[in-house]
Amino acid sequence: MPISAPFSHDAVLAQLERDVAGKPKSAPARYRLAVALLNVDDPAGAIEQGSAALALDPRLRDAARLLASLLQRYELNPEIDISIRGLEAAFAFHDVDRQALAVSAIRLLKEQAPLARILATGRAEGWDAAARLLQRKDGRALLTSRLFRLALIHGVNTDIDIECLLTAFRRDLLLSPDGDRFRERRLFEFACALVQQCLNNEYVFFVAADERDRLNQLTISADSVAAAGDLLLACLYQPCHALLPADMDASRLRRIAPRALREVLQPCLAERNALAERSQAMPRLTVIADDTSRRVEQQYISDPYPRWLSLQTPQSAIARAALGEYFAPDDLAFMDAPFNVLIAGCGTGQQAVSAALGYGPDADVLAVDLSTSSLAYAAQMAERYDAGNLRFAQADILGLDTLDTTFDIIECVGVLHHMADPYDAWRILIDRLRPGGLMLTGLYSAVSRANFAALWDDADWPGADADDDALRHFRRILMQREAGRPGTELLVSKDFFAKSGFRDLALHVSEQHCSLPDIKAFLDANGLVFGGFHLPAHLSDGFRQAYPEDGWPGSLEHWAASEQAHPRPFDGMYNFWSRKR
């Protein structure tokens, strides 16, 4: 029997490179080369070949998913020769992370003319000057940039300079004395893309007093082509459902003109009505009697969080392989048969939809939340991504002790620290977890969130009950502070760039902080075995190098010492798995 030669990534890579050299216009060949480059730890090469494959064949879904997954993890730099056509093509797929694509698109455009020059003008001469340059001959190439529009339409901008430019551009459109602001089609169509961006970020941009005065002078009508410019301007500052009659029927919506504006407003109004119906029909599992729970419920009714727009869908049933990094095979044997999962505090469903797809069809997933507004959005997105094993209901964790069901897996991430007593609520969840069941918990770190506690004493902090105008004003103050001053560290958070995100980040009505010693004591007292933190590989590797004597997942005492020395890994929160004894 012949002996096979040992497998060699290098040999495979060399053959694939020859294939591409022989057939440079073969999209499948370039995609296979992209995968091989990733296997030999060359993400830059994989991005180049994956985007080139999409440029050759925009229907190549696997290349789009590969490209988006790479851009989730790696930042573009000028040395990476990414195909703009390929990047544009990736936006067409709904099951990729379009937010990662949008962030990368903005980063790419910032390195090139005309945007690089416009932003330099903004920094040197002020953003009003940059906004005027954007509308001149050279700058207007950006208005017709397909990539720029796609980024604005499908994502939330997370770049401060771009926000300053867009805010100034919007202001210039509104305050311009020219009565026919939109005489050029390109300007009108770009403004429609900006309306979509404002919808995506929930109108987080700052609004000055003179802008408010001008808005009050506009003629708002969906039935007049002559008033389309005023309607568009108003939609740059307020969602269309706040401007147009609630009872507008489909025939009136179809008459909105021009078409570019209609294509933004129609789906917005339709979604608003559909979400209201879902919210009214949402099943209710428990009463909400706790005062803190009621305040939190009201926050998330007004500002459902997060406002996610796309999802890099996981492979079906891939969760078991991921759990294998935390638990022994015997601990996961229950997944050989149908099992049940609880997502406690699912918000708008991003975690729940991803979990339901990742656990696969054998999982019956129940997702609960206080806010029916959040649940309605979650249910809508579950349908979009065909998560048929996922169901939703309104419930307070504090009332789940009335259920007679236990669960094989419970996920509760970013929820307990918004309750009056996180540990009391955590005990109720443990009672709903069967012996041997698995739990994913996410809690705010007292070490990493110390800067937030300090911010609450800031003279400019408007308080947790701040209205939207006060939120925008405080956010603007933080944007204008010199680097290093309190609150400026928030500007690196993606949550800073959407209204619901900023409220959750900096103005939450209830926030508690936890420490690793307290968490360890709680785990020990309540029969939970620590399974490990959910962290990027390089951070876990750093801990192993620092504490080689620890068996994995490491002792919480050493993790506490590591956090004191290096607090940044838990900036989001402690995310960790545990198992009930």
Side-chain angles (χ1 to χ4, degrees):
M1 185 174 186
I3 299 175
S4 300
F7 176 79
S8 168
H9 281 300
D10 291 341
V12 172
L13 182 62
Q15 179 59 53
L16 292 173
E17 288 173 337
R18 289 192 292 271
D19 292 345
V20 167
K23 295 182 178 180
K25 294 187 178 181
S26 169
R30 288 191 179 273
Y31 168 68
R32 289 192 293 270
L33 178 56
V35 174
L37 288 165
L38 185 59
N39 287 335
V40 296
D41 198 23
D42 184 2
I47 289 171
E48 292 177 354
Q49 293 300 327
S51 63
L54 269 174
L56 291 166
D57 184 358
R59 302 165 298 175
L60 200 57
R61 174 178 175 271
D62 287 345
R65 287 179 56 78
L66 175 66
L67 181 61
S69 69
L70 287 165
L71 295 178
Q72 285 177 325
R73 293 174 283 165
Y74 303 103
E75 289 189 4
L76 287 182
N77 61 64
E79 282 68 49
I80 298 178
D81 186 19
I82 188 171
S83 165
I84 290 180
R85 284 180 58 198
L87 182 54
E88 291 172 349
F91 279 99
F93 297 87
H94 84 288
D95 58 347
V96 307
D97 184 355
R98 289 169 169 166
Q99 178 63 23
L101 301 177
V103 169
S104 297
I106 295 294
R107 185 174 289 119
L108 177 65
L109 290 168
K110 284 185 67 177
E111 300 293 332
Q112 304 175 354
L115 184 55
R117 183 172 61 256
I118 292 170
L119 296 181
T121 299
R123 298 185 200 104
E125 302 176 25
W127 294 105
D128 289 342
R132 291 190 293 271
L133 182 59
L134 180 58
Q135 298 180 61
R136 292 175 187 161
K137 183 178 179 180
D138 291 345
R140 288 197 174 188
L142 187 64
L143 299 183
T144 57
S145 166
R146 182 167 180 259
L147 185 60
F148 195 30
R149 289 189 191 179
L150 287 169
L152 296 179
I153 290 168
H154 293 295
V156 173
N157 169 64
T158 57
D159 185 279
I160 292 293
D161 285 347
I162 296 296
E163 178 174 334
C164 291
L165 175 63
L166 295 177
T167 305
F169 175 78
R170 180 182 71 167
R171 173 184 171 82
D172 189 67
L173 287 178
L174 179 66
L175 301 183
S176 170
D178 186 348
D180 188 11
R181 302 169 182 83
F182 299 117
R183 60 187 177 275
E184 289 194 33
R185 177 179 174 181
R186 76 179 81 181
L187 190 60
F188 192 96
E189 291 182 346
F190 181 79
C192 288
L194 183 53
V195 168
Q196 186 62 62
Q197 173 61 202
C198 292
L199 287 165
N200 294 350
N201 67 39
E202 303 155 316
Y203 292 86
V204 77
F205 291 166
F206 177 75
V207 184
D210 55 352
E211 292 173 276
R212 296 188 188 283
D213 292 341
R214 180 69 187 98
L215 285 168
N216 291 330
Q217 300 169 16
L218 298 178
T219 301
I220 308 301
S221 172
D223 301 316
S224 169
V225 175
D230 278 8
L231 177 58
L232 174 54
L233 286 171
C235 288
L236 286 167
Y237 287 84
Q238 295 181 71
C240 54
H241 61 76
L243 298 166
L244 299 175
D247 59 351
M248 282 190 68
D249 57 29
S251 63
R252 287 183 68 192
L253 287 174
R254 286 194 295 270
R255 289 199 300 269
I256 294 175
R259 177 181 175 182
L261 180 59
R262 181 171 67 251
E263 289 179 345
V264 176
L265 302 191
Q266 272 187 309
C268 173
L269 291 168
E271 179 184 74
R272 176 76 176 185
N273 294 335
L275 290 177
E277 292 178 4
R278 288 182 187 273
S279 179
Q280 290 293 324
M282 190 59 59
R284 183 173 181 175
L285 281 185
T286 76
V287 298
I288 302 173
D290 178 75
D291 288 342
T292 299
S293 295
R294 286 177 173 174
R295 292 187 70 204
V296 173
E297 176 194 18
Q298 287 305 310
Q299 173 174 327
Y300 290 128
I301 286 175
S302 300
D303 285 289
Y305 169 82
R307 169 74 174 178
W308 59 290
L309 304 171
S310 62
L311 182 69
Q312 184 86 9
T313 55
Q315 296 177 6
S316 180
I318 198 172
R320 183 166 186 168
L323 287 170
E325 298 181 15
Y326 303 92
F327 302 107
D330 286 350
D331 296 330
L332 305 178
F334 70 90
M335 301 179 81
D336 291 331
F339 59 99
N340 59 357
V341 179
L342 173 66
I343 311 294
C346 68
T348 53
Q350 187 173 30
Q351 172 197 357
V353 173
S354 182
L357 295 173
Y359 286 124
D362 282 342
D364 175 26
V365 184
L366 170 63
V368 300
D369 198 81
L370 294 168
S371 164
T372 55
S373 297
S374 297
L375 290 165
Y377 192 84
Q380 171 185 275
M381 299 301 271
E383 284 188 8
R384 181 175 300 177
Y385 289 100
D386 297 322
N389 59 333
L390 175 59
R391 53 198 172 92
F392 298 92
Q394 184 189 31
D396 187 349
I397 290 173
L398 296 177
L400 292 180
D401 54 359
T402 62
L403 296 185
D404 57 4
T405 304
T406 59
F407 297 88
D408 298 291
I409 300 174
I410 295 178
E411 296 189 8
C412 187
V413 176
V415 179
L416 296 175
H417 50 236
H418 293 314
M419 308 189 76
D421 187 327
Y423 297 102
D424 281 349
W426 198 355
R427 289 187 190 92
I428 291 173
L429 290 178
I430 293 171
D431 287 343
R432 297 298 95 213
L433 186 66
R434 68 155 176 82
L438 313 179
M439 181 175 284
L440 176 63
T441 311
L443 293 163
Y444 277 156
S445 159
V447 174
S448 290
R449 299 285 290 190
N451 57 325
F452 287 86
L455 194 62
W456 298 335
D457 294 326
D458 192 294
D460 292 314
W461 190 66
D465 295 314
D467 63 18
D468 289 349
D469 288 339
L471 177 152
R472 296 184 188 99
H473 180 70
F474 178 56
R475 186 175 173 275
R476 178 79 157 194
I477 288 172
L478 298 184
M479 289 173 62
Q480 294 176 336
R481 284 183 175 176
E482 294 180 1
R485 289 194 59 199
T488 55
E489 67 277 9
L490 274 62
L491 274 65
V492 301
S493 170
K494 63 178 176 34
D495 283 339
F496 186 86
F497 295 91
K499 182 165 69 72
S500 65
F502 186 76
R503 190 175 292 284
D504 189 86
L505 179 71
L507 300 174
H508 205 286
V509 297
S510 176
E511 179 174 319
Q512 315 295 328
H513 299 157
C514 303
S515 71
L516 287 178
D518 287 346
I519 288 172
K520 180 185 185 305
F522 180 87
L523 296 178
D524 292 343
N526 289 274
L528 294 179
V529 180
F530 177 64
F533 287 109
H534 189 273
L535 286 171
H538 70 279
L539 295 176
S540 299
D541 291 343
F543 177 87
R544 286 186 173 99
Q545 292 172 9
Y547 298 98
E549 71 279 11
D550 272 16
W552 194 247
S555 71
L556 284 172
E557 291 91 344
H558 283 162
W559 275 110
S562 177
E563 184 185 24
Q564 291 294 333
H566 307 286
R568 295 284 72 85
F570 299 114
D571 270 359
M573 65 187 79
Y574 302 123
N575 273 319
F576 59 93
W577 283 97
S578 58
R579 181 176 58 82
K580 190 174 183 179
R581 293 186 188 277

